[in-house]
Amino acid sequence: MTENSQAQPVANPELPTQYAPAEVEGKLYERWVERGYFEADEKSGKPPYTIVIPPPNVTGSLHLGHAFEHTIIDALTRRKRMQGYETLWQPGMDHAGIATQNVVERELAKEGKSRHDLGREAFVERVWQWKEESGGQISGQMRRLGDGVAWSRERFTMDEGLSAAVQTIFKRLFDDGLIYRAERIINWCPRCLTAISDIEVEYQDDDGELVSIKYGDGDETLVVATTRAETMLGDTAVAVHPDDERYAHLVGRRIKLPLTDRTIPVVADTHVDPEFGTGAVKVTPAHDPNDFEIGRRHDLPNVTVMDERAVITTPGPFQGLDRYEARSAIVAALRAEGRIVAEKRPYVHSVGHCSRCKTTVEPRLSLQWWVKVETLAKAAGDAVRDGRVTIHPKEMESRYFAWIDNLNDWNISRQLWWGHRIPVWHGPNGETVCVGPNEEPPTGEGWHQDTDVLDTWFSSGLWPFSTLGWPEQTPSLEKFYPNSVLVTGYDILFFWVARMMMFGLYAMDGTPPFHTIALHGMVRDQFGKKMSKSFGNAVNPLDWMDKYGSDAVRFTLARGANPGVDVPIGEDWVQGSRNFANKIWNATRFAMMNGATVEGPLPDASRMSATDRWILSRLNETVAQVDALYEDYQFAKLSDALFHFAWDEVFDWYVELSKTTFFAGGEQADVSGRVLGEVLDVTLRLLHPIVPFVTETLWTTLTGKESVVVADWPADSGFRDQAAEREIEHLQQVVTEVRRFRADQGLQSGQKVPGRLDLSATPLAAHEAAIRQVLRLQAAGEDFHATATLPVAGARVELDLSGTIDVPAERKRLTKDRDAAEKEKQQALAKLGNEAFLAKAPDNVVDKIRGRLSKAEADIERITAQLAALPES
């Protein structure tokens, strides 16, 4: 730009006038993938940075929770890639045993078939067929969001390599005596027809009934209360506390079990609380975990009264009834015999439900495979306690320890056909052989493989190292294990994180699977309510992406991401983020049309204006702030810092203050153009990990370089200019006060008015043209008449408002507002002067009235000043 040139707005052929996300996002993403930006090279000399995707179910689709989590992970990995790390974001999917089997079984039901009609082998083949044809739609949705995953490394928990890893660790655990088979009480889903783990049970308060039943007769009578009368058919004792004198004479004796021809003993056990209810409890070892332990202590028989579908199997009048039908029938029969002492309906109590199908879980005695977790859990706890693994935020540590320090043995077998089959063969004479991945199973008459499959969390617990080729010692495993950080929701701290910790430490010689566990909260609606289809508030993020663009969805989610805290989100917030993307686009486009450039080195600070030095100082402070917040996983705060720096300081202040310079042209315009180019370059790079699409388009156009994905992450140059910052803060104070006065007078933001500026008592003389530009002040002509004088921050601003406002109407409006404020003030003073009121009123009520008084007084002062500033009518 020459000294005499003018920076006239001209169309930029490379940058459309409006940003249209739908036209650029898909093309940009495919370009990134084709160029291999997201792939990871284990042979590079760069330091590694590894994150695994929490593998979504193969049956799943992208929901807001996924979008939230993926936005955080993508931002972390994009930044680290820009910082020069060999970055691996490992993708893949989980086979989701129960969920996937349910999907295919529903398809078969439409054909009038069940899996048993096909047989195990054909059914599993049918599931694989479904997986290839319909599973994994989430992969395409991840591309829509902009996930920078290494697609060439995508894994599936039942692919060949991961299956070998599962078989290997099962064999090692089995040989070390850490896997065993035993009959225990488990959580059974009568709908899914399989055992489920404790953490797959969701508890909710249900309406039920509490009935008190008289057992025995005459002097041998005890009253027990139960919410599950149908299980009494399997009672094998009544228990009382050893010190309960009320029942001391009955301990060791047998009493009649109603509705049966059996008698059962009365046993003394410290588990019984003598203060609760009657102090006597029925003992059903085959249908209650606590009763099972009582039964073991007293050598009681286990009587199973229900089958796998929760249908009564005991011979007699109740055989063939499901559990709820049997409950009603048994209570009716007991009532007919006069054995119901009391009934309470409804009786609200906590009931366990299958997390997948919501069926009420049935405690059931079953022969299952278990992992002995004592030593594994201790190692997982020690790794956090000794600092090898950090949990973030730190307050989540207590939840982790509360779980890991009290972990029961893990039931790992499921009665399904889809999944990793237990690698154990049973012989004709009770032999048991565990087979490793390179071993041949025993053959011959009577030998058969165990029919159960492994819990899905067993295979996903290996995810951080099985995806890297373990048990083979691959270059990828050497380079990328342990993972740098695990980003996941606190809701699967127990499902998944604990499993990975136990298995990683066990399989990898004491090396934990990750250095940091960064826990986030759940996405909720704008009112803080859990999102659910049944509530009618569930959101498909693809709908918002279609409407507002992926960047808008990502930025909204990131701005709500406080560590470990739930995230409320509403559509209007996404609209706001869309507006931010448009602001970035429009302001960058304007800047480029008016001289912003990245060519050549930055001019020396001595050639820069105070405005230039201020924005560069603020830029470097923002870089330092954002870096610190990234390291602390404070996405909400860093997103907010970027938002306000970009929108407020760069676009609303620096660009506006520099317009007069650009329009004037000359050397200073060249200097400011280079400064603006630098600020835009760095700002777009800072924003890129969170809003990758709009920043890619703008940055490549601004710089002419290949891609911001592989650009260098900005570094704090150390440049600070406190004097310039104070000077511009002074300017902002003047402008803000005058803008406030203009708004109070009802002037439109773009409306020009004549004005005089006296800046002689301030260091702002050099900024007069810029101040006039942003305040829309015209030069004062010969007919100028100062109708308002504003002394602000040492400056004196005179305005001629004649002809711009209806003075009588404005005076009338302001007088009315002041009268209302005066009335509010007097009412507040009256209450605060009433001793009787003050003696009785709660502190929060008194504080509220004091606040009203303070506001009324401030309003009166403000309005009085506005009235004084009005011209004479």
Side-chain angles (χ1 to χ4, degrees):
M1 207 179 286
T2 63
E3 224 174 81
N4 298 318
S5 65
Q6 292 287 318
Q8 298 296 331
V10 292
N12 188 323
E14 296 184 275
L15 216 52
T17 55
Q18 291 183 325
Y19 178 49
E23 296 178 11
V24 300
E25 291 180 349
K27 295 175 184 177
L28 283 182
Y29 188 84
E30 290 310 313
R31 186 189 308 162
W32 294 334
V33 172
E34 288 168 6
R35 292 178 177 178
Y37 292 155
F38 305 139
E39 297 302 323
D41 181 6
E42 60 265 14
K43 297 178 182 178
S44 83
K46 299 177 182 178
Y49 186 81
T50 317
I51 295 180
V52 294
I53 192 172
N57 288 352
V58 68
T59 59
S61 60
L62 193 74
H63 56 64
L64 270 179
H66 288 126
F68 172 55
E69 186 169 78
H70 291 199
T71 295
I72 294 174
I73 298 174
D74 197 42
L76 287 171
T77 52
R78 283 179 182 269
R79 172 173 175 263
K80 285 296 182 180
R81 190 177 292 112
M82 295 171 75
Q83 287 182 314
Y85 286 79
E86 192 61 44
T87 302
L88 170 60
W89 181 8
Q90 173 66 53
M93 285 184 290
D94 191 279
H95 65 277
I98 296 177
T100 306
Q101 180 158 320
N102 283 346
V103 168
V104 178
E105 285 197 85
R106 283 196 294 269
E107 285 195 351
L108 285 174
K110 294 175 184 176
E111 302 169 15
K113 298 177 182 178
S114 75
R115 61 180 163 125
H116 300 285
D117 295 322
L118 273 66
R120 182 167 193 146
E121 187 175 332
F123 176 78
V124 170
E125 185 178 333
R126 177 72 176 258
V127 180
W128 276 109
Q129 179 185 342
W130 175 88
K131 186 262 182 186
E132 295 303 320
E133 294 175 356
S134 305
Q137 63 172 315
I138 201 169
S139 296
Q141 296 165 341
M142 288 166 58
R143 293 169 182 265
R144 283 288 312 278
L145 188 65
D147 286 2
V149 300
W151 286 113
S152 68
R153 293 172 175 262
E154 187 174 11
R155 305 303 299 269
F156 180 56
T157 49
M158 281 186 62
D159 67 28
E160 186 176 348
L162 270 64
S163 295
V166 168
Q167 200 170 350
T168 298
I169 200 163
F170 188 100
K171 170 75 170 171
R172 291 187 187 180
L173 290 164
F174 183 89
D175 291 346
D176 286 346
L178 296 176
I179 285 183
Y180 64 95
R181 198 181 191 208
E183 195 173 47
R184 300 275 178 81
I185 292 286
I186 49 88
N187 303 297
W188 181 265
C189 177
R191 160 63 184 80
C192 297
L193 298 180
T194 183
I196 59 176
S197 66
D198 290 344
I199 51 180
E200 293 170 300
V201 178
E202 295 178 347
Y203 288 90
Q204 67 183 47
D205 287 341
D206 287 355
D207 286 345
E209 60 181 356
L210 181 68
V211 293
S212 298
I213 308 169
K214 182 172 66 175
Y215 282 32
D217 296 296
D219 293 338
E220 296 179 347
T221 297
L222 285 167
V223 175
V224 300
T226 181
T227 58
R228 304 177 68 231
E230 69 277 10
T231 64
M232 68 165 292
L233 300 175
D235 287 357
T236 55
V238 173
V240 298
H241 194 276
D243 299 332
D244 195 334
E245 295 180 359
R246 293 173 295 175
Y247 306 119
H249 67 291
L250 290 177
V251 173
R253 298 172 68 175
R254 301 184 73 85
I255 63 174
K256 179 76 165 55
L257 178 63
L259 306 183
T260 73
D261 57 2
R262 293 193 288 124
T263 62
I264 56 176
V266 178
V267 299
D269 196 280
T270 54
H271 172 75
V272 180
D273 180 1
E275 302 299 323
F276 183 77
T278 63
V281 297
K282 60 192 287 296
V283 181
T284 321
H287 292 277
D288 184 274
N290 293 321
D291 292 3
F292 177 75
E293 295 301 325
I294 294 175
R296 291 176 64 177
R297 289 193 287 271
H298 297 278
D299 198 25
L300 299 174
N302 300 313
V303 177
T304 299
V305 300
M306 278 182 268
D307 66 12
E308 70 274 9
R309 297 183 185 276
V311 172
I312 300 298
T313 58
T314 304
F318 311 110
Q319 188 174 12
L321 300 179
D322 75 25
R323 51 185 165 170
Y324 301 117
E325 293 170 336
R327 182 179 302 172
S328 298
I330 287 171
V331 170
L334 290 168
R335 191 183 299 113
E337 290 191 5
R339 290 192 173 274
I340 299 296
V341 176
E343 298 179 67
K344 183 176 181 180
R345 294 189 187 87
Y347 178 72
V348 179
H349 61 133
S350 182
V351 177
H353 296 261
C354 173
S355 61
R356 290 175 176 82
C357 70
K358 312 308 176 188
T359 301
T360 299
V361 168
E362 189 64 41
R364 186 168 187 258
L365 187 65
S366 181
L367 185 62
Q368 300 281 340
W369 289 94
W370 305 82
V371 171
K372 191 181 295 183
V373 301
E374 182 179 3
T375 56
L376 300 173
K378 182 180 184 305
D382 290 345
V384 175
R385 287 189 170 95
D386 63 25
R388 281 176 290 158
V389 178
T390 300
I391 293 180
H392 188 87
K394 189 173 179 60
E395 53 265 28
M396 286 286 178
E397 278 187 5
S398 60
R399 297 182 64 169
Y400 176 78
F401 291 134
W403 177 260
I404 209 77
D405 293 345
N406 298 284
L407 202 58
N408 295 320
D409 284 358
W410 174 18
N411 171 18
I412 57 170
S413 49
R414 299 291 179 266
Q415 289 64 54
L416 303 170
W417 287 357
W418 171 247
H420 295 283
R421 197 157 171 187
I422 301 279
V424 169
W425 270 253
H426 303 286
N429 299 310
E431 303 97 330
T432 300
V433 175
C434 183
V435 178
N438 298 314
E439 300 173 353
E440 291 296 325
T443 58
E445 187 176 349
W447 283 95
H448 65 279
Q449 187 176 358
D450 198 285
T451 57
D452 288 351
V453 299
L454 286 163
D455 177 11
T456 297
W457 297 105
F458 190 96
S459 52
S460 59
L462 312 180
W463 193 247
F465 50 95
S466 65
T467 52
L468 298 173
W470 186 92
E472 301 298 323
Q473 295 304 305
T474 65
S476 288
L477 188 66
E478 182 178 351
K479 176 79 172 182
F480 296 113
Y481 187 90
N483 293 184
S484 305
V485 61
L486 172 74
V487 177
T488 191
Y490 64 68
D491 59 322
I492 57 172
L493 181 62
F494 316 128
F495 285 87
W496 190 42
V497 179
R499 312 304 191 201
M500 288 189 289
M501 286 287 284
M502 291 191 295
F503 280 170
L505 290 159
Y506 173 79
M508 301 300 292
D509 301 320
T511 302
F514 20 72
H515 298 301
T516 300
I517 301 168
L519 298 172
H520 59 73
M522 303 297 100
V523 178
R524 298 180 179 272
D525 70 13
Q526 67 249 48
F527 306 109
K529 190 175 182 180
K530 180 181 178 180
M531 284 192 173
S532 167
K533 290 181 180 178
S534 61
F535 295 155
N537 63 350
V539 173
N540 182 346
L542 296 176
D543 292 341
W544 282 354
M545 289 184 212
D546 289 342
K547 196 170 182 180
Y548 304 111
S550 297
D551 285 332
V553 174
R554 290 171 61 114
F555 195 70
T556 304
L557 292 165
R559 286 194 83 180
N562 289 298
V565 178
D566 288 347
V567 184
I569 183 172
E571 186 170 359
D572 54 337
W573 303 339
V574 186
Q575 291 175 355
S577 295
R578 187 268 315 273
N579 295 343
F580 179 52
N582 288 341
K583 181 78 170 182
I584 298 170
W585 181 274
N586 294 333
T588 303
R589 185 174 180 275
F590 173 85
M592 291 174 62
M593 291 191 300
N594 287 275
T597 180
V598 295
E599 294 180 8
L602 270 176
D604 187 80
S606 62
R607 297 175 58 201
M608 297 180 189
S609 67
T611 311
D612 295 333
R613 297 194 305 275
W614 162 74
I615 197 62
L616 288 176
S617 184
R618 292 295 307 129
L619 176 68
N620 280 287
E621 180 61 36
T622 300
V623 171
Q625 182 184 11
V626 167
D627 274 335
L629 291 170
Y630 259 114
E631 296 306 315
D632 200 33
Y633 304 98
Q634 297 280 357
F635 284 90
K637 291 181 179 179
L638 73 88
S639 299
D640 218 42
L642 287 169
F643 175 86
H644 288 295
F645 175 71
W647 191 305
D648 299 342
E649 296 185 282
V650 178
F651 301 139
D652 277 0
W653 283 107
Y654 182 71
V655 170
E656 285 297 316
L657 291 172
S658 301
K659 280 182 178 178
T660 53
T661 300
F662 290 135
F663 291 150
E667 180 181 352
Q668 192 56 54
D670 291 340
V671 171
S672 293
R674 181 63 188 89
V675 170
L676 180 53
E678 182 75 9
V679 172
L680 290 174
D681 171 16
V682 173
T683 301
L684 291 171
R685 282 185 283 151
L686 287 174
L687 283 165
H688 172 72
I690 298 175
V691 284
F693 295 107
V694 67
T695 52
E696 171 81 341
T697 305
L698 293 173
W699 189 84
T700 52
T701 305
L702 172 70
T703 66
K705 294 181 180 178
E706 179 185 347
S707 174
V708 70
V709 177
V710 290
D712 291 336
W713 180 252
D716 176 7
S717 70
F719 178 83
R720 300 289 191 280
D721 192 325
Q722 299 300 324
E725 289 199 35
R726 287 192 297 271
E727 186 172 323
I728 301 304
E729 285 171 7
H730 195 162
L731 180 153
Q732 289 172 327
Q733 187 178 356
V734 171
V735 170
T736 300
E737 288 299 318
V738 177
R739 278 177 170 170
R740 182 178 294 119
F741 174 78
R742 286 174 53 106
D744 287 341
Q745 302 305 314
L747 297 177
Q748 298 298 316
S749 59
Q751 187 175 351
K752 294 183 178 181
V753 295
R756 285 197 189 115
L757 279 175
D758 181 359
L759 303 172
S760 58
T762 74
L764 303 179
H767 299 284
E768 179 168 351
I771 292 173
R772 284 186 172 277
Q773 165 71 27
V774 296
L775 286 177
R776 306 295 188 265
L777 295 184
Q778 296 174 325
E782 292 182 1
D783 58 347
F784 179 84
H785 175 62
T787 61
T789 302
L790 307 174
V792 288
R796 180 183 175 87
V797 183
E798 296 178 343
L799 302 175
D800 183 354
L801 302 180
S802 57
T804 61
I805 59 173
D806 184 340
V807 175
E810 186 64 14
R811 187 179 300 280
K812 183 177 180 181
R813 182 185 70 82
L814 290 172
T815 301
K816 182 178 179 181
D817 289 347
R818 185 173 63 177
D819 291 345
E822 186 65 45
K823 183 177 180 181
E824 177 74 8
K825 174 184 175 181
Q826 295 306 319
Q827 289 175 343
L829 286 172
K831 287 188 176 180
L832 294 173
N834 186 333
E835 295 296 333
F837 170 77
L838 294 176
K840 295 178 181 179
D843 291 344
N844 65 319
V845 173
V846 175
D847 289 342
K848 187 175 181 180
I849 293 172
R850 289 192 178 119
R852 285 165 49 191
L853 174 62
S854 178
K855 181 179 183 304
E857 290 175 336
D859 287 344
I860 293 168
E861 182 178 357
R862 174 180 57 82
I863 296 169
T864 300
Q866 289 176 232
L867 283 166
L870 283 176
E872 295 297 327
S873 40

